[in-house]
Structure formats: C-alpha cells, structure tokens
C-alpha cells in the first residue's frame, strides 16, 4: 500500500513539475519555491529506493532503474536533438523543448538542470545496491 501511495505522489509531483516548468524566468521567492518543488519531486523516489533496498525487492529496484534510465536517456536524446535542430524551424525547436520538458519535468521546474540530472543519476546508482553496499554476486 505504501508503495502505491509513493508512486501516486511521485506522479502528482511530476504533473506539478510539468505545469510549473512552463513558467518563464521566475525570480526571487518564486524561483526558490520552484527549486524546492523540483527537489521535493525526488523524495518519493528516494523513499521507494530505500524501501526496495531494505526489503531486498529486486523488482522494485529494477522498476526504479528503468524509470531513471528512461529519464536520463530521453533527456540526452532530446537535448542533442535540440542542439542539432539549430537550423530547423522555430516550430521544431518548440516541439523538441516541450518533449524535453515532458521527459525531464523537474529539470525545467527547478531551473538548475545539473541538479535534476545529478539527482536522477543518484537514484540510478542507488538502484544498484551491490555497488555501494559492497555485496558481491554469488
């Protein structure tokens, strides 16, 4: 039950980040709120990761790994596509930017792209507990 609630709250935070990511150049307190919300987006993922590691839930770890990999790979694809589309029409740039916003919503919401990419990477690395728990395969 807790897992379903965490995934539902993660989905709601995703929708919130997509909506707030459309705000153009926030400043002051508004920018601080957006950064806080983009950081809050990762809390359910961290809690899901902690639960999966604690209980040894391999399916949960795999699910988180796939979510992180999809976000990071698609972010890279759309970033490269946006850069390569520099000579394309403005509509192509707009479509690619909107697709990038859907793929990596907290990146647009928080305004600090490196922070979102770093946190996605941390979740991804965390989904491989053998790397950081020192367990060796049998």
């Amino acid at each position: 039950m807790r897992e379903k609630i965490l995934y539902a709250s993660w989905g709601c935070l995703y929708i919130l980040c997509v909506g707030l990511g459309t705000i153009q150049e926030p400043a002051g307190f508004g920018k601080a709120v957006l950064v806080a919300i983009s950081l809050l987006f990762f809390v359910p993922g961290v809690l899901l990761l902690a639960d999966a590691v604690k209980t040894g839930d391999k399916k949960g770890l795999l699910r988180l790994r796939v979510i992180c990999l999809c976000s990071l790979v698609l972010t890279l694809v759309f970033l490269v596509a946006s850069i390569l589309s520099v000579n394309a029409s403005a509509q192509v740039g707009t479509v690619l930017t909107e697709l990038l916003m859907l793929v990596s919503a907290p990146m647009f919401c928080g305004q600090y792209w490196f922070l979102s990419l770093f946190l996605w990477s941390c979740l991804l690395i965390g989904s491989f507990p053998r790397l950081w728990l020192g367990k060796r395969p049998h």
Side-chain angles (χ1 to χ4, degrees), residues 48-62:
L48 286 164
L49 177 63
D51 287 348
V53 168
K54 189 183 339 178
T55 61
D57 180 13
K58 291 182 182 181
K59 284 185 180 180
L61 289 172
L62 180 63

Side-chain angles (χ1 to χ4, degrees), residues 50-125:
D51 287 348
V53 168
K54 189 183 339 178
T55 61
D57 180 13
K58 291 182 182 181
K59 284 185 180 180
L61 289 172
L62 180 63
R63 193 176 310 119
L64 286 169
R65 193 174 303 145
V66 168
I67 290 169
C68 294
L69 278 172
C70 285
S71 178
L72 288 169
V73 169
L74 289 173
T75 297
L76 177 66
V77 166
F78 286 120
L79 277 173
V80 170
S82 292
I83 292 169
L84 294 177
S85 72
V86 70
N87 292 327
S89 68
Q91 290 82 10
V92 171
T94 302
V95 167
L96 287 173
T97 301
E98 289 175 0
L99 288 172
L100 181 59
M101 184 180 356
L102 290 174
V103 168
S104 193
M107 190 168 78
F108 276 80
C109 181
Q111 309 290 312
Y112 296 110
W113 289 24
F114 67 91
L115 185 59
S116 173
L117 293 173
F118 175 74
L119 292 172
W120 275 120
S121 299
C122 287
L123 273 176
L124 176 63
I125 296 300

